[in-house]
Amino acid sequence: MKITEIKTRHVGAPADENTRLDRNWTFVIIETDTDITGLGECTLLGMEFPVTTAIDRMSDFLVGQDPTRVEHLWQQMFRHPFWRGGPVLNAAISGVDMALWDIAGKAAGLPVYKMLGGPVRDRVRCYARPDLTGSVVDQAIAAKAQGFTGFKFGPEAPSGLTSDMDLVNAAVADVSAIRQAVGPEMDLMIDFHGRLNPPTAVKCLEMLRPFNLLFVEEVIPPDNPAAYAKVAAAVPSVPSATGERLYTRWGFRELIEFGSVPIIQPDICYSGGISELRRIAAYVEPHYVKVAPHNPNGPVACAASVHTAAAMPNFLILEYARKPPYFESVLQQPLVIKDGYFELTDRPGLGVELDEDFANAHPHHLITRDTHWYPDGSAADV
């Protein structure tokens, strides 16, 4: 079997009356000289076209090669470019890697999770987010009623933001209201997108201690592992998590060496695909670190995350970004969730295929970039 062509496809999933989530999903299609085609995803919000350009360049040396040599091709994609690393190149590698695993599974007649050594769990736990319309409290209540056992949200920066403590106070008020509404049994998480500085982050974790959170995500920016270790160690009873903006094992190395966090969040679309996500998980397992994969993108990346999580011993919980009806309609065989868990498929490969008619009817669209400003005109972290 040989690769004959690598194509990309953008599908627009704009915000509408059902959901405030505004997305463009980018998919990778690898064709071969047989009837087997591989499907992956390389969504990188706001950077869709640089990623597809990187994949076009990779096609120069991938076409003509055996797609079932997944590791061999991953090493070529990672090692041969002189300028390695970063979100664009790693998103390109990730999307191609998913499609290669899809081909390998289809060629073997096995689901990808069985190609990874078989499942270590019967289903994959996921959590909901406030991606739909309505207040965050109402959405948490609805998610619990639908069977989800976890819910994550991000605090809204109040208008007239004067200090980082304004964001902290808003977060504490929100999580207090949500906890009161859903009760003690539902796991709650909160994501700060790296907006706080270390002293404020420590104050924030102290204030959040009474609410028994599963974790607090990116309470400070992710690029200083030593600082993150100090923040996490200051309030160990509130677990800290980070990792969505780190790439490959090398990106997580210092985070682990400093013992920065007990939970990491690599994203299958950025960290290096199925191949690298499972290696990162194996790398952190001896350090007793759990993996809660970042997963805010489209359904193909979600399917790949489910397969990888199914075979990952130190998996914790998977993010699920709800985007009805696009998330389900863009696939011929939608993913199945029951009582807050993804069901495992018996279909070979990733078990999903694009609905070409739906994809063609929903082209790429312009998304306005989020911005946050302090009153003096200086830029705040988004």
Side-chain angles (χ1 to χ4, degrees):
M1 188 190 307
K2 303 293 182 186
I3 297 172
T4 57
E5 187 176 6
I6 302 178
K7 301 184 293 187
T8 53
R9 169 74 65 84
H10 301 293
V11 176
D16 56 24
E17 66 277 5
N18 297 311
T19 169
R20 59 194 185 93
L21 198 64
D22 199 8
R23 288 289 186 267
N24 288 300
W25 296 322
T26 307
F27 302 113
V28 181
I29 301 98
I30 298 181
E31 297 184 349
T32 71
D33 57 359
T34 72
D35 60 352
I36 297 177
T37 299
L39 179 63
E41 183 175 342
C42 56
T43 295
L44 184 61
L45 187 62
M47 300 291 284
E48 298 90 356
F49 294 105
V51 174
T52 54
T53 298
I55 290 175
D56 288 342
R57 294 302 307 272
M58 287 178 182
S59 297
D60 294 344
F61 61 84
L62 292 175
V63 169
Q65 298 208 52
D66 180 353
T68 64
R69 298 184 68 182
V70 179
E71 181 63 25
H72 181 59
L73 297 182
W74 193 97
Q75 294 294 333
Q76 290 181 59
M77 290 188 289
F78 181 76
R79 296 181 183 279
H80 283 174
F82 182 78
W83 303 107
R84 69 171 66 170
V88 171
L89 183 57
N90 278 290
I93 292 172
S94 299
V96 172
D97 179 81
M98 291 180 224
L100 294 174
W101 276 106
D102 190 34
I103 290 172
K106 290 172 179 175
L110 294 171
V112 166
Y113 63 81
K114 289 190 177 180
M115 302 285 288
L116 301 177
V120 297
R121 55 186 48 82
D122 298 326
R123 52 186 186 160
V124 172
R125 187 186 179 206
C126 62
Y127 61 85
R129 317 178 334 157
D131 298 317
L132 311 179
T133 54
S135 74
V136 66
V137 174
D138 288 342
Q139 291 194 60
I141 295 171
K144 181 180 178 181
Q146 293 161 7
F148 290 99
T149 59
F151 185 81
K152 187 182 81 178
F153 70 98
E156 294 290 340
S159 60
L161 182 69
T162 59
S163 72
D164 290 339
M165 282 305 299
D166 289 345
L167 189 64
V168 172
N169 291 330
V172 172
D174 283 344
V175 76
S176 177
I178 294 171
R179 175 58 77 203
Q180 184 175 2
V182 301
E185 65 276 7
M186 191 173 197
D187 279 323
L188 298 181
M189 298 141 276
I190 185 167
D191 181 2
F192 281 90
H193 284 162
R195 295 177 186 172
L196 304 182
N197 58 57
T200 307
V202 172
K203 292 180 183 177
C204 177
L205 294 179
E206 288 283 6
M207 293 170 68
L208 292 172
R209 189 199 300 264
F211 302 107
N212 190 30
L213 300 179
L214 185 63
F215 59 75
V216 176
E217 179 177 335
E218 278 206 337
V219 69
I220 65 171
D223 39 18
N224 188 331
Y228 225 121
K230 291 179 181 178
V231 170
V235 192
S237 59
V238 182
S240 292
T242 191
E244 69 182 76
R245 290 185 274 183
L246 301 177
Y247 322 110
T248 75
R249 289 157 284 171
W250 291 272
F252 283 87
R253 180 182 61 82
E254 284 190 327
L255 198 68
I256 300 308
E257 289 176 354
F258 279 103
S260 301
V261 292
I263 299 166
I264 63 166
Q265 299 174 285
D267 191 305
I268 204 164
C269 266
Y270 323 137
S271 63
I274 293 170
S275 296
E276 193 67 358
L277 180 55
R278 65 195 297 255
R279 285 191 288 255
I280 292 168
Y283 172 54
V284 305
E285 186 180 1
H287 300 272
Y288 309 110
V289 171
K290 292 287 189 177
V291 183
H294 185 250
N295 182 43
N297 297 309
V300 177
C302 190
S305 296
V306 170
H307 281 269
T308 313
M312 184 187 298
N314 52 333
F315 166 77
L316 178 63
I317 194 169
L318 179 65
E319 183 172 14
Y320 169 43
R322 296 173 290 171
K323 180 61 186 174
Y326 296 86
F327 200 91
E328 296 77 21
S329 299
V330 76
L331 298 179
Q332 295 180 27
Q333 312 91 354
L335 304 178
V336 177
I337 296 180
K338 183 179 179 181
D339 297 328
Y341 288 80
F342 282 105
E343 299 284 299
L344 301 184
T345 180
D346 289 328
R347 293 189 293 269
L350 293 179
V352 293
E353 301 292 344
L354 287 184
D355 184 307
E356 294 291 339
D357 292 338
F358 187 90
N360 290 335
H362 296 83
H364 183 279
H365 69 290
L366 181 65
I367 297 178
T368 303
R369 184 186 299 273
D370 288 337
T371 58
H372 291 288
W373 307 92
Y374 290 110
D376 63 1
S378 60
D381 286 315
V382 174

